[in-house]
Amino acid sequence: MEYLILFLPLLGSIISGFFGRNIGDKACQIITCSMVSISALLSIIIFSKVIISGYENNVIVATWISSGSLDVNWSIKIDALSSVMLVVVTLVSSLVHIYSVGYMSHDPHKPRFMAYLSLFTFAMLTLVTSDNFLQLFFGWEGVGLCSYFLIGFWYKKESANAAAIKAFLVNRVGDFGFALGIFLIFYVFGTVNYDEVFRLIPTITDQKINFLSIETNIVDLICLLLFVGAMGKSAQFLLHTWLPDAMEGPTPVSALIHAATMVTAGVFLVVRCSPIYEYSQLALSVITLIGMTTAFFAATVALVQTDIKKIIAYSTCSQLGYMFFAAGVGAYNVAMFHLFTHAFFKALLFLGSGSVIHSFKDEQDINQMGGVWKKLPYTYVLMIIGTLALTGFPLLSGYYSKDAIIEFAFVSETKFGIYAASIGVLTALLTSIYSWRLIFKTFHGNYNNKKLGIETMHESPIIMMAPLIVLAVGAIFAGMFFKELFIGYETTYNFWGNSIKFLETLSTDHPPKWFIYLTPTLVILSIPLSYYLFVKNTKIVDDIVSTNQPIYTFLQKKWFFDELYDQIFVKPSKKCGLFLWKKIDGLVIDRFGPDGISSLIKNFSLKAVKFQSGFIYQYAFIMLLGFSILLTLLIVK
């Protein structure tokens, strides 16, 4: 069963990628959708076995590397943590595959697209089922490569190519730190296998190492280097700039990669390495600080964006911040719970936005929409469900997971816990405002699109709506059904077992009642407030923008990170590259190297050819001259 879960998506990718032209578009879509769907069903079976009987397994596929002390297997590790990720990855991926059949129906390169989706799924499954850091890194780079392919799928669009390159390069920054962390682990322990590393960690908690001429605790350094990789992959503050630009890819790509799977790899890494992070209070404090900063930053930027997909992208960025600061305060199980519920409602919002974009003939600006809730009733209701879940409306999935993060942060005894909880409440309010802004400006008010008549609006086909319905069920019930299993005090240790390590027993304290009710109250009150501001009396927002233009510009420009990085990294790199190309490569290397040698030979041959005149007396003179030179040399010797 484990083999099928992992390799069916790979098989579908190979068939669609290499034989798509021979078997046709429809066959490729059927094969890839079927393979991933079977993988999803088997993953659900594995997950149920883990819940019911605590099933664990480590299937060795093959011996990968055996050299000296480095002994690495290619394996499929099944435990509570990997089983949760298997369900998230395969279920969302299968729904995205099915949705793509309708969304990409007019694209001429459907087999290639389906092959990329399935290959990405295989790489992500390889990542979450690894039992060592090397296989983890293989899957890590695999999903990075596939994201490059998928973001730049429409390669004839210059913006898509630029976004793909940006995502690839920013992730390389994080991956460099991640690779250094793996090298350090092998240098210290002589192994990269999880079980061996986790067992040896307590023996080196007080050891130091000199890194960049700084005396550093080894465990702290390992944790921080691994977290740099997580920051890049999960688009955390400072390494977040690639995520909004990645919306240039097709909408199914946004749902698969940037909502439920690839961007959660960083959270998975931190939780998987909880046996290491539990011994580094410094790293946990840094994770909390970065997480709460990301949550607040992304929420403020989402307030003023007008691209429907970019609003949801910044929302993803913000929710990932919640997950990280949950892990930072030691609530790894709550971080995974929010990852699990977030997969449903965020994929629902992305695919719902794709349905809206499909109806508006690829229009993504919410200012060019409005007044279509009667024309798109099913999409409207489904996106309402996703929005309620995202904002943490009582009894929906986001309410159980996001509020649990804020409450755990509040009662934690960590340095940044109370600050993280405060930021979490403020961010929840901002999340509700920008989420309802999207809904009201997209579906309510006046119809603002001048290119299309409102009579042309129509619902998406059933092949696109069916996955939305499944995700909506998850967005409504996932939190309610799995709360006790994932974060219940009595069941947490039984379910997670050894897959998550808690050095200290989880707190049973509860925040005061006023704090428990604070976030849901703000979320509920924000709905009529948003309706009034964005539908009934839009002049208020216009006045706020006009009187606070510098702040509005600051948020619209995304805190000027792109401009800052452009000045610090991009332009100097271009100037350096231009100098090396024109001056060093062109005037030095080429001039005195291949170009110089070829020019010398060419000139010599042009001179030599003049001796080929066809006159016998000239040939006789040259022969005599040569004989004289040879005779002179012999006499001199």
Side-chain angles (χ1 to χ4, degrees), residues 553-584:
T553 304
F554 179 71
L555 297 180
Q556 193 179 44
K557 292 290 187 180
K558 301 160 282 190
W559 291 25
F560 289 101
F561 269 103
D562 282 327
E563 289 77 8
L564 180 65
Y565 288 170
D566 194 49
Q567 292 295 329
I568 296 175
F569 300 114
V570 178
K571 288 184 177 177
S573 297
K574 283 184 176 179
K575 288 179 180 178
C576 181
L578 206 59
F579 171 78
L580 293 173
W581 172 35
K582 295 290 187 181
K583 304 296 183 184
I584 306 299

Side-chain angles (χ1 to χ4, degrees), residues 68-127:
S69 62
L70 182 60
D71 191 11
V72 179
N73 292 320
W74 190 284
S75 60
I76 306 174
K77 181 181 178 68
I78 301 296
D79 59 8
L81 184 58
S82 62
S83 68
V84 170
M85 292 302 295
L86 285 177
V87 170
V88 169
V89 173
T90 56
L91 185 57
V92 173
S93 179
S94 62
L95 295 174
V96 169
H97 274 72
I98 295 168
Y99 180 91
S100 299
V101 173
Y103 191 87
M104 304 294 287
S105 59
H106 301 298
D107 194 276
H109 306 293
K110 289 186 277 291
R112 179 164 62 91
F113 184 75
M114 302 304 286
Y116 287 164
L117 287 182
S118 293
L119 184 62
F120 170 86
T121 307
F122 165 73
M124 193 67 196
L125 292 174
T126 301
L127 188 159

Side-chain angles (χ1 to χ4, degrees), residues 147-169:
S147 72
Y148 173 79
F149 291 154
L150 288 165
I151 294 168
F153 180 76
W154 287 323
Y155 56 87
K156 292 183 180 179
K157 281 176 63 179
E158 188 176 339
S159 56
N161 285 325
I165 293 170
K166 185 176 183 179
F168 197 77
L169 290 177

